[in-house]
Every structure is written in structure tokens, then in C-alpha cells.
Amino acid sequence: PIPCVPWQSQTSGHWLVVSPFFLLVLYDWWFSRKQGKKKIKVASADVCFGRVIEIEIKDSDIAYLPGQYIKVRCPKISRSGWHNLYITSAPSSGLIRLHIEVKGKWSNQFYELFRQTIEHPLRLVGPFGPGVQSNYRHVILIASAQGSLPMASVVQDMVEKLIDQNSAVDKIYFYWILKQVANMQWFLEMIDKTARQIQKSRFETEIFLMSGSGDLNIGLNIIMGMHARHGDSEEDTKESPDKFSGGAVDVPSELSTLVEQATDREALLPSTERFADPTTESWRIQSRLTMCRPDFHRVFQKVRYEVQLKATHFEKIREKSCMSCMSGNDMEQQSIVGVYYFGDLATCERITHFCTEYSDNAVAFELTEEILGEKKY
């Protein structure tokens, strides 16, 4: 039973029962109205494949952590409706990037509105959520279902820490579980672009596709097209005018054209550069796109072995040097793996089980999770 606060009228003698839940909702409404008065202009809007729109917001004065979300209201659509949207950009970018997929009435109206013009202001409140702050040397990132949205920000932030020589992060293992790839092209391109900034051996990516072979072929062709576009030169990180995203590519018939373009580009490459065996090809060498359920036994065994090997190596160096070049705290950090998960409850329970099973005095897996459900906004 929900506890209630009784209130008695001084004149009529009638009782009015007020639920704390109602008071909480009332406070949330008042806080949102107070904090969300400032009009925020959208800097740019870009339509991505799969009826997804990407918007960028500058000068919002909102400081956020990777993995956090904000509340967004578009007065043009609704004067009172607030919607929780995860930030998909890294905090260091100096802007807020959002990816909104059409799933319901509000998102469809938002999509149709901003694909035509960006002149409509927004109201923002936030950020909300715990966010991710990592000091681990070895990090496992796992995203499933709706977890791709907050994970986009986390991956970019972690890779920046990986590049920073003063950061504690030494290696990242990223595992992505998704049901369909067509509406996640923007995420594939983000991962591809991000991975090109660092050594292949320090950022391992594996994608598990839980749907039919048709979606697998789409994903493979998208990746082949990205590699054909970038090539292997130092110009990899530069944007090419011949890119898949950026136009209004939301007509289903355009998918075949997209795949054909990717196949044509891949055919022009030397045989040694084509997308082939995942153990020899990219992101480059370390990335995989497979149609199967994730084998977490293999994942945790692999990570545990590599972490234990590095910890043993550093211990031998410390003993040979006859001096304490590494503090006890540094040695402890070598054997602790940070695991961050965003997604559904069922997968989270499996990951929790494996973190416990593979943790002992030699290697410990510390899990930080956030459960996200499917929202039809």
C-alpha cells in the first residue's frame, strides 16, 4: 500500500488524501518548468539511415558525464511533454549530440519537424543518471538493446582516455549485442572512426547480431563501404564527401543502393584489403561482426588471461629492478577489470554471474550496470 498524507478541511470537515507519489510528480513538473525556461537552439540536424535523426546542440551550458541523459521538450510539439534522451557525444566535444529513432508519435513528429528545419528551439533539463567515471586500466564495455545510446558517449570518452598518456586506461574490450543493424549505421560509423585513432591491439571490438543473415549482410556491406571510403592512408580520419550519413536516407528502397555502392567499392580494393576473415581484417584486425549469441565464457576467459599475463609481467619487472617502481596500488589496479554494461535486465544477470564466477584474488571484475527498457516515445 502507498502511504498517504491526510489533510482535513477546517470548514467542511472532509478529508483529502494526498499520495507522496503525487507530490513527487508535482515537484518534478515544477522543477522541469523552472530549469527548462531557457530556449536552446539546434546547431545542426542530420538524417541517418533507418529513420534516425542526429541533432547537435551548442552553448547549452550543460556539463555532463558519459552515459548520462537529459530531458528534452519541444514546445512546437508539446508544451508539457518531457522526454529522456541519452547523450551520444563525448563530454570533451563541447556540444551535446542526440540520436532519436522514430518509435512513436512524439519521435515521429520530432523527426519530421527537424528534418525540414532547425529553427525550432528546445528546452533542456539535466543531466541525469550516474554517468561513467573510470580509473581502471582494463575496461570491458558491453551494450545491448537500448544501451547503444549511452554507450556511444562512453566509448568515445574511453578512447580519448586511451590516447591520453596520463590516463590510467590501458586497453578497452567492447562488445555490442544488437537485433538489427540497419538503424544503427551511425553507431557503426562512430565506432569505425573512433577505432582509427588508436592501435588495433588496444581497442578490441566484437559485434553480435541477433537476427537474420540479411541484417548480417547489410552490416558487412556497410563496414566494407566504410573501409573502401577510408582506405589505409593517413587520411583515414578525414571526412569524405562520399559518405552514407548526412542525407535524408530513410526510404527503404535506398538500402539496396547503399549495399551496391559498398560492394562496388570493396570490389575495387586489392584482395589483401577486402573484408575477409575477421581474424585478419579490421577494425582492422581486432573487430568482428558475427551472427550468434555472445559467448561470455570465452569473453571473460580471454580478458582474464590477458590481464593476469600483464600483471605477472609487471611483477617480474618490479622484482628485477630491486626497487619499488610500482606502488601496491598500481599493482592492484593491474588486476582489476572495470565492466560497464548498458542494456536489458536478462543480459545484465548473465554478466553479473560471469563477473562473480571469474573473480578471485588474482583478477577481479567490478561491474557497473544500468538497465534500460524499450521506450516507444
Side-chain angles (χ1 to χ4, degrees), residues 29 32-33 36 39 73-82 106 123:
W29 172 84
S32 298
R33 293 281 294 183
K39 293 182 179 180
R73 179 167 66 89
C74 179
K76 183 70 176 181
I77 300 175
S78 172
R79 292 185 173 275
S80 59
W82 291 88
W106 183 85
R123 302 287 199 276

Side-chain angles (χ1 to χ4, degrees), residues 40-43 45 76 113-114 116-122:
I40 304 296
K41 290 184 178 180
V42 175
K76 183 70 176 181
L113 189 66
F114 281 91
Q116 299 173 17
T117 177
I118 60 173
E119 296 302 318
H120 306 289
L122 298 176

Side-chain angles (χ1 to χ4, degrees), residues 69-279:
Y69 67 91
I70 57 174
K71 292 185 177 182
V72 178
R73 179 167 66 89
C74 179
K76 183 70 176 181
I77 300 175
S78 172
R79 292 185 173 275
S80 59
W82 291 88
H83 297 269
N84 299 341
L85 300 177
Y86 277 93
I87 302 170
T88 57
S89 55
S92 62
S93 63
L95 54 82
I96 291 178
R97 185 179 296 113
L98 305 170
H99 285 82
I100 300 101
E101 180 185 356
V102 175
K103 292 184 177 181
K105 182 179 178 181
W106 183 85
S107 56
N108 184 66
Q109 291 177 322
F110 191 94
Y111 176 88
E112 295 297 336
L113 189 66
F114 281 91
R115 69 178 297 190
Q116 299 173 17
T117 177
I118 60 173
E119 296 302 318
H120 306 289
L122 298 176
R123 302 287 199 276
L124 306 181
V125 178
F128 301 95
V132 171
Q133 298 185 75
S134 175
N135 292 316
Y136 299 103
R137 289 188 178 274
H138 309 279
V139 180
I140 298 178
L141 304 176
I142 307 174
S144 69
Q146 294 300 302
S148 303
L149 294 171
M151 187 58 75
S153 177
V154 175
V155 167
Q156 294 172 83
D157 182 71
M158 286 290 180
V159 169
E160 288 178 1
K161 291 180 179 178
L162 201 59
I163 298 172
D164 184 4
Q165 296 182 353
N166 297 321
S167 172
V169 181
D170 183 60
K171 185 165 184 177
I172 299 173
Y173 305 84
F174 175 52
Y175 302 96
W176 188 25
I177 310 164
L178 71 162
K179 293 183 179 179
Q180 57 180 356
V181 72
N183 64 334
M184 296 303 296
Q185 179 196 333
W186 65 269
F187 195 94
L188 279 169
E189 293 193 345
M190 182 276 295
I191 291 293
D192 182 76
K193 183 178 179 181
T194 302
R196 292 173 186 278
Q197 304 175 42
I198 53 177
Q199 296 178 5
K200 310 157 193 170
S201 60
R202 300 185 67 199
F203 181 64
E204 295 192 14
T205 306
E206 194 160 357
I207 303 172
F208 302 96
L209 187 58
M210 309 280 285
S211 63
S213 58
D215 244 3
L216 179 63
N217 291 333
I218 293 171
L220 289 172
N221 278 282
I222 288 174
I223 293 174
M224 284 190 299
M226 288 188 293
H227 289 301
R229 179 180 78 238
H230 287 292
D232 286 327
S233 67
E234 294 181 356
E235 299 296 316
D236 284 350
T237 57
K238 292 185 178 180
E239 294 294 334
S240 168
D242 186 19
K243 62 184 295 186
F244 294 147
S245 65
V249 191
D250 57 288
V251 182
S253 62
E254 294 187 29
L255 178 59
S256 57
T257 305
L258 176 70
V259 173
E260 288 174 6
Q261 290 175 351
T263 307
D264 291 341
R265 291 189 182 92
E266 191 261 346
L268 296 174
L269 291 175
S271 58
T272 55
E273 296 182 19
R274 295 181 187 178
F275 192 94
D277 186 346
T279 59

